[in-house]
Amino acid sequence: MATIEECRAALDKLSDNMASAEGDVRTAAALDRSLSCRVTDLDVTFVGRLKDGRIKVLDTLQGPPPDKAQIRLAMAGDDLVAMVDGRLNFAKAWGSGRVKLEAGLRDLFRLRTLL
């Protein structure tokens, strides 16, 4: 089972990957939205902001987030780490329910390029 530190490192790596992206991926990452990533098996939520093509984690909370972010992810820690490392395909994980993504319809269309 992935640790909180490994999950935070995976989010940092995802942020770095998005910041160095080009083309359609770079455009999709240019959103300015509140973001939460709930790691279900650790009962932890990283809350922050997606802005200027980067994820900025502002806080780490026990349990679910108190406020509903504009973009919400939920998954097990091992799945987060595997997805960022390229060992887990986001679309397959999302389709099977291993990863949950909630956002407005417009944001979902833009995010599909990222993920």
Side-chain angles (χ1 to χ4, degrees):
M1 181 164 78
T3 66
I4 292 173
E5 294 78 17
E6 290 170 326
C7 292
R8 175 59 193 263
L11 286 174
D12 290 342
K13 182 177 179 182
L14 177 60
S15 179
D16 291 343
N17 291 347
M18 290 184 337
S20 65
E22 297 178 2
D24 291 341
V25 174
R26 180 77 176 165
T27 301
L31 294 170
D32 182 4
R33 302 286 189 270
S34 59
L35 174 75
S36 68
C37 181
R38 179 153 162 79
V39 181
T40 54
D41 56 336
L42 297 176
D43 195 27
V44 166
T45 303
F46 297 98
V47 293
R49 193 135 199 103
L50 173 61
K51 185 175 180 179
D52 298 326
R54 295 198 69 87
I55 297 170
K56 182 174 183 178
V57 176
L58 302 173
D59 205 356
T60 304
L61 308 171
Q62 282 299 124
D67 300 314
K68 187 175 174 181
Q70 292 167 305
I71 298 171
R72 298 166 304 281
L73 287 163
M75 67 195 81
D78 287 342
D79 289 341
L80 173 61
V81 171
M83 190 173 62
V84 173
D85 285 344
R87 294 179 282 119
L88 176 65
N89 178 279
F90 175 81
K92 288 181 182 179
W94 187 31
S96 69
R98 287 175 64 179
V99 173
K100 293 181 177 36
L101 170 63
E102 297 177 34
L105 189 58
R106 183 176 293 159
D107 289 341
L108 284 173
F109 282 122
R110 288 184 75 183
L111 289 170
R112 70 183 176 161
T113 306
L114 278 177
L115 305 168

